[in-house]
């Protein structure tokens, strides 16, 4: 399922893939970095690109956005290499969400809001590198991202639902 828009343009519910005639909303990648230094803490790419292509994309994202990181307390968006990018400074992190095809900046904005909620919940509102990098916290966040964006398709943006789904899955096997 993925969110659909109501008459006023706001997300009003979830539409199952079958109901949408096979329409998908591919998210290209999710990247979490430190605000200071831009060290990558979490990176999930949904494209089939190899490691070199993913690394080149990340370098281009950082090169093109680094000058605006100080302004990223409010959401920023741009187009990089035919991919929409929405990013924001949250606590000690920068969250980047990139999308292709029908996954434009409006949908990415909703994905970013859900990611912020999930990250904040898993870090107990202490949005710091040391908290995220605790194995249990990091694992839960990674599972949550997969629950939200299975194979890059927006599945669920309800933070409470994502947190409930995450509790049901083992973090380490």
């Amino acid at each position: 399922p993925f969110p659909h828009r109501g008459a006023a343009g706001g997300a009003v519910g979830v539409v199952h893939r079958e109901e949408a005639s096979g329409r998908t909303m591919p998210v290209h990648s999710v990247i979490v970095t430190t605000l200071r230094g831009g060290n990558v803490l979490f990176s999930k790419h949904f494209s089939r690109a190899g490691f070199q292509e993913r690394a080149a994309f990340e370098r281009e994202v950082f090169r093109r956005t680094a000058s605006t990181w100080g302004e990223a307390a409010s959401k920023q968006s741009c187009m990089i290499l035919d991919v929409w990018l929405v990013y924001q400074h949250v606590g000690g992190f920068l969250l980047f969400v990139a999308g292709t095809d029908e996954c434009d900046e409006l949908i990415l904005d909703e994905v970013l809001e859900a990611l912020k909620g999930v990250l904040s919940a898993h870090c107990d509102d202490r949005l710091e590198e040391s908290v995220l990098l605790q194995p249990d916290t990091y694992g839960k966040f990674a599972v949550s991202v997969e629950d939200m964006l299975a194979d890059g398709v927006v599945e669920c943006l309800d933070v409470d639902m994502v947190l409930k789904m995450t509790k049901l899955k083992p973090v380490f096997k």
Side-chain angles (χ1 to χ4, degrees):
F2 54 86
H4 70 282
R5 307 244 174 256
V12 295
V14 173
V15 175
H16 293 274
R17 281 193 197 120
E18 302 81 41
E19 298 169 355
S21 305
R23 184 176 142 201
T24 62
M25 300 170 62
V27 173
H28 179 275
S29 53
V30 172
I31 305 167
V32 179
T33 70
T34 58
L35 181 59
R36 302 201 192 293
N39 298 317
V40 176
L41 302 175
F42 177 86
S43 177
K44 175 78 175 171
H45 292 263
F46 299 100
S47 67
R48 288 187 164 78
F51 174 77
Q52 296 297 332
E53 291 86 3
R54 293 190 310 259
F57 175 76
E58 288 181 14
R59 280 191 303 274
E60 185 65 14
V61 165
F62 301 150
R63 186 184 71 76
R64 299 256 315 266
T65 63
S67 65
T68 63
W69 288 0
E71 304 161 13
S74 61
K75 290 184 189 108
Q76 305 289 316
S77 64
C78 61
M79 187 81 131
I80 296 178
L81 303 173
D82 294 328
V83 175
W84 278 107
L85 181 71
V86 176
Y87 60 102
Q88 185 175 18
H89 159 232
V90 179
F93 306 116
L94 273 166
L95 300 178
F96 296 88
V97 182
T100 59
D101 301 326
E102 295 177 21
C103 199
D104 62 12
E105 63 185 316
L106 297 174
I107 304 237
L108 293 174
D109 181 61
E110 292 180 31
V111 172
L112 183 64
E113 283 300 313
L115 279 172
K116 286 172 21 183
V118 167
L119 182 62
S120 181
H122 286 310
C123 290
D124 295 322
D125 293 322
R126 297 184 343 235
L127 297 170
E128 305 165 3
E129 179 180 0
S130 61
V131 177
L132 177 61
L133 293 181
Q134 294 174 6
D136 192 47
T137 304
Y138 190 87
K140 286 179 183 177
F141 179 70
V143 170
S144 292
V145 170
E146 190 59 39
D147 285 341
M148 290 172 57
L149 307 167
D151 296 323
V153 176
V154 176
E155 290 287 332
C156 180
L157 295 179
D158 181 318
V159 173
D160 292 331
M161 182 67 75
V162 171
L163 294 172
K164 286 177 186 173
M165 290 188 299
T166 303
K167 284 183 181 180
L168 297 175
K169 295 181 182 173
V171 175
F172 302 105
K173 293 181 180 178

